[in-house]
Amino acid sequence: MALVRTLVRALLGGLLCVLGPLGCEVDSGPAMAVTQPSRATFVHEAGPILAARCGDYACHGNANRPFALYAVARRRLRAADNFTSHPLTEAELDANFAATTGFLDHDRPRDTTLVQKALGIGGKGGHKGGGVFAAPSDPECRALIRWISGEQQ
Ligand code: HEM
């Protein structure tokens, strides 16, 4: 009887050695680094590109979209200011910056949901807005990728 018990224990011990690491190794995919690119470069370069190319009312210029933007002559923070052309306020710029950085969900800029959607290859389920940029080499797409990676413009 003692011999059987020893054998069983040895077997179990061996199994745990083999399966243990495999068992708890959960592949969570690439690390979801949250990058915090420059707000200043966003205000001068990336933000105006996004407002112009994504900010239409039927697209991201409305509060129903998780990625919702304010833009000059389109949706404004104060409803009374909608469609007016004065420059975006600091509060609108803050909101656009927060909305955009919320989709920087990968440590490789072009693999972020923001860029993937803009390329129309986007994330889960593609992008109903289609491929706004034809390729990452598109000058505006490159400017977005540079901004995300923190490279000098
Ligand atoms: C470079 C410009 C654009 C970027 C970076 C962009 C980015 C995104 C992101 C991050 C999402 C997921 C979050 C959300 O649902 O709001 C999304 C979804 C969506 N976008 Fe855009 N978008 C752009 C242009 C457009 C345009 C021009 C349209 C309309 C013609 C549009 C229509 C939509 C729609 C309907 C969805 C929800 C369904 C889906 O996930 O595909 N987008 N986009």
Side-chain angles (χ1 to χ4, degrees), residues 23-106:
C24 56
E25 188 70 41
V26 180
D27 178 19
S28 57
M32 306 300 268
V34 176
T35 60
Q36 193 64 3
S38 144
R39 184 185 182 281
T41 310
F42 178 82
V43 169
H44 298 298
E45 177 106 13
I49 293 170
L50 293 168
R53 303 300 300 273
C54 332
D56 190 70
Y57 192 79
C59 307
H60 295 281
N62 75 71
N64 302 327
R65 293 252 58 83
F67 177 48
L69 295 172
Y70 298 109
V72 170
R74 290 178 171 158
R75 174 180 170 248
R76 303 304 300 253
L77 185 55
R78 283 176 357 118
D81 292 341
N82 278 344
F83 310 113
T84 58
S85 53
H86 59 80
L88 293 182
T89 63
E90 287 304 312
E92 288 167 330
L93 291 168
D94 283 343
N96 284 0
F97 184 65
T100 305
T101 49
F103 291 94
L104 304 183
D105 50 1
H106 198 287

Side-chain angles (χ1 to χ4, degrees), residues 94-119:
D94 283 343
N96 284 0
F97 184 65
T100 305
T101 49
F103 291 94
L104 304 183
D105 50 1
H106 198 287
D107 50 13
R108 194 159 170 262
R110 75 167 63 181
D111 292 340
T112 56
T113 297
L114 187 84
V115 175
Q116 292 273 299
K117 290 277 182 188
L119 292 169

